[in-house]
Amino acid sequence: MIKKIRKVILIILSSFIVLASLILAYIIWIQPIDSRTADHSIGIARKTEAESKETIKVKKMPKPNSNYSSSPQSNLRSKDLSQLNLTSEFNAIKRVVYDTSTKWPQRLPKGFDPDKSMELGKNPGLHVQELHKKGITGKGVSVGIIDQTLYTEHSEYKKRLKHYEEIHALSKVPEMHGAGVASLAVGENIGVAPESNLYFIASSFADNLLIMLKMKGHDSKGNTYTNGITYKYYAQSIERFLEINKTLPEKEKIRAISISRGFNKKDNDYDLFKKALDKANDQGILVVTATLEQDYGIGIAGLGKEMMSDPDDRASYSVGSWLKENAEDYQNCLFLPMDCRTYAGITGEKSYVNDTSGGLSWVVPYLAGLYALAYQVNTSITPETFIEKAIETSDSQVVENEGKPFTIKYLINPIRLIEEIQSDT
């Protein structure tokens, strides 16, 4: 009898420990973050702190990580390479991601200058900075971004950040992706639209509680799902931007929303997301996603570039690093700069990352920034007209790809695009 009681007590205690562990894990790691300003006013709902990262000394060149990319890179961020001899590692250097904390050795491949490469990567390229010199900077126009938790204090966009809140964000600490897209869109030294105002919502496409407990959820149509994926938070974020717009002066309203991810029509609550996107589009707001073709009839793709080449020289560009093997799949897409970009880091207010192999995540804020420039010069522009003009004014360019000639049919031409839109006023 006593043994049975002990067994029951043990089972109860074990169950309690498991439950307590799950609750603790949810609170510490998995609980979604929701932060709002008082009375839902415009402002910074929560400031985030820089990531603390120690520089690690390495004894040999790190190998490329081939687990997640067809164009693997060596991660040199916060690495001390000062004791290495890299003079014969030119091919390896061409496939790295490094930051301002990376310590380089004196013995480097001929022609490679990490400081110069970092500076070259800050240039949006294709003569966008010539538009800036003419005062076409997106000044007064607002850009909305929905992405991961933002490092709110980076000098690239801190002055431009008018609003930050979180709707079911997955991390309390800043993530590199948010800082990256924000700086590429409106960064003071990096961005396509360096004087645009920034409105940022950190959100996610997953319901953490469903994932953790493998519970069943129900989408807007009543369908049951267990994979945790849902677009309802993105829909809520777009709707939030539309609410904010009601309070802004006409000239300062959000005109472009950048979301650096693709959307599958078969995923849960896609209908909610599409409804919100269409509502934004009807109000003259261009919503740029990685699956742009679903909403505007043309997809987007990324341009490749060597680290030390001139970002303004059209001849510097080719097919993006990870697109090379399947370039034909992107034949009818609009190509924009992607590889060898420098973006804001999360380890300090002046930290930067240079990425030799980017993703469509970097293309999306570039196009959103161009729309801000277009709206500055022509307030009657619509998303549909902008996309049409972007295609009409693009260049066709034959490049070498995998040892064969490949024609990029639509290579963005920012100067011609903005001049064409401006001439329509």
Side-chain angles (χ1 to χ4, degrees):
M1 184 65 178
I2 295 176
K3 288 183 178 180
K4 288 183 178 180
I5 294 174
R6 286 178 177 173
K7 187 175 182 180
V8 171
I9 293 173
L10 184 61
I11 292 173
I12 294 172
L13 285 174
S14 298
S15 299
F16 176 79
I17 292 172
V18 171
L19 180 60
S21 298
L22 288 172
I23 293 173
L24 186 61
Y26 181 71
I27 293 173
I28 296 176
W29 292 293
I30 307 176
Q31 183 183 27
I33 312 302
D34 288 276
S35 63
R36 303 287 194 279
T37 53
D39 300 322
H40 280 210
S41 58
I42 293 174
I44 310 301
R46 187 174 73 90
K47 289 185 178 181
T48 57
E49 296 182 359
E51 177 187 43
S52 177
K53 202 165 187 178
E54 182 180 350
T55 301
I56 300 173
K57 184 172 288 188
V58 296
K59 296 181 179 180
K60 60 181 180 179
M61 182 74 174
K63 293 182 179 180
N65 184 347
S66 58
N67 292 334
Y68 306 106
S69 174
S70 59
S71 181
Q73 296 172 282
S74 296
N75 182 9
L76 305 184
R77 286 171 290 190
S78 297
K79 298 293 191 299
D80 182 350
L81 313 168
S82 57
Q83 301 305 309
L84 304 186
N85 182 353
L86 301 180
T87 52
S88 62
E89 296 284 356
F90 187 76
N91 287 332
I93 293 294
K94 290 168 65 176
R95 297 185 296 154
V96 301
V97 52
Y98 68 98
D99 61 13
T100 43
S101 296
T102 304
K103 294 184 179 180
W104 294 93
Q106 291 184 345
R107 293 170 292 184
L108 291 168
K110 185 177 180 180
F112 173 64
D113 181 339
D115 292 333
K116 184 177 180 180
S117 178
M118 183 73 79
E119 287 304 308
L120 286 170
K122 291 180 180 180
N123 183 349
L126 300 177
H127 300 286
V128 166
Q129 290 182 337
E130 290 183 18
L131 293 172
H132 298 166
K133 292 176 182 177
K134 295 178 181 179
I136 305 173
T137 58
K139 188 173 184 178
V141 184
S142 297
V143 174
I145 294 180
I146 304 171
D147 207 274
Q148 297 176 353
T149 305
L150 181 69
Y151 172 42
T152 58
E153 305 306 296
H154 202 283
S155 60
E156 278 295 319
Y157 49 75
K158 184 178 180 180
K159 293 179 182 178
R160 309 247 61 87
L161 184 60
K162 303 299 181 182
H163 183 81
Y164 175 69
E165 67 177 71
E166 294 155 327
I167 299 177
H168 203 89
L170 299 187
S171 174
K172 292 181 179 178
V173 298
E175 299 176 275
M176 58 76 64
H177 205 269
V181 294
S183 59
L184 293 172
V186 305
E188 182 179 349
N189 303 292
I190 295 171
V192 173
E195 290 192 298
S196 282
N197 298 321
L198 175 60
Y199 290 76
F200 196 108
I201 296 178
S203 189
S204 71
F205 60 97
D207 192 314
N208 279 348
L209 187 59
L210 294 184
I211 294 174
M212 185 184 73
L213 299 180
K214 296 183 179 180
M215 295 170 58
K216 294 181 179 179
H218 296 89
D219 65 17
S220 63
K221 296 180 179 179
N223 299 318
T224 301
Y225 65 94
T226 57
N227 61 6
I229 294 176
T230 171
Y231 295 154
K232 65 182 178 183
Y233 303 116
Y234 282 92
Q236 290 173 14
S237 298
I238 293 176
E239 293 282 0
R240 177 69 176 125
F241 281 142
L242 299 184
E243 289 178 8
I244 289 173
N245 258 2
K246 294 176 182 178
T247 69
L248 296 175
E250 188 65 26
K251 291 184 178 180
E252 296 180 14
K253 290 185 185 297
I254 297 167
R255 298 299 175 181
I257 297 176
S258 172
I259 310 175
S260 288
R261 67 159 287 111
F263 292 87
N264 190 325
K265 294 180 179 180
K266 296 181 180 179
D267 280 337
N268 307 306
D269 296 314
Y270 177 81
D271 61 318
L272 293 180
F273 171 77
K274 187 63 168 67
K275 183 179 179 181
L277 185 151
D278 289 343
K279 187 186 295 187
N281 188 77
D282 289 343
Q283 295 181 23
I285 301 170
L286 175 69
V287 182
V288 188
T289 71
T291 43
L292 192 75
E293 70 279 3
Q294 292 180 175
D295 307 298
Y296 297 101
I298 188 167
I300 52 175
L303 292 166
K305 192 183 80 69
E306 296 297 327
M307 299 175 80
M308 302 304 297
S309 62
D310 182 359
D312 287 322
D313 186 352
R314 199 164 298 276
S316 298
Y317 293 95
S318 59
V319 176
S321 53
W322 57 270
L323 285 72
K324 289 182 178 297
E325 293 180 5
N326 303 298
E328 291 76 13
D329 294 343
Y330 300 90
Q331 185 80 60
N332 296 313
C333 290
L334 180 65
F335 278 74
L336 300 96
M338 178 181 75
D339 290 346
C340 293
R341 290 303 315 274
T342 295
Y343 50 88
I346 59 173
T347 57
E349 295 180 9
K350 299 287 185 179
S351 62
Y352 294 92
V353 180
N354 184 269
D355 198 337
T356 55
S357 177
L360 291 186
S361 289
W362 298 164
V363 176
V364 170
Y366 194 107
L367 189 59
L370 282 180
Y371 190 68
L373 302 188
Y375 189 85
Q376 181 189 353
V377 300
N378 186 345
T379 57
S380 64
I381 191 71
T382 66
E384 291 81 6
T385 301
F386 172 78
I387 295 299
E388 289 173 6
K389 295 290 186 183
I391 298 169
E392 290 174 5
T393 59
S394 64
D395 294 311
S396 176
Q397 181 164 308
V398 179
V399 300
E400 184 277 327
N401 184 63
E402 301 283 280
K404 299 177 181 179
F406 176 81
T407 300
I408 297 177
K409 292 167 62 175
Y410 307 114
L411 196 161
I412 194 78
N413 187 320
I415 297 290
R416 193 183 300 151
L417 170 61
I418 299 303
E419 287 179 348
E420 176 72 15
I421 290 171
Q422 192 172 25
S423 68
D424 287 343
T425 55

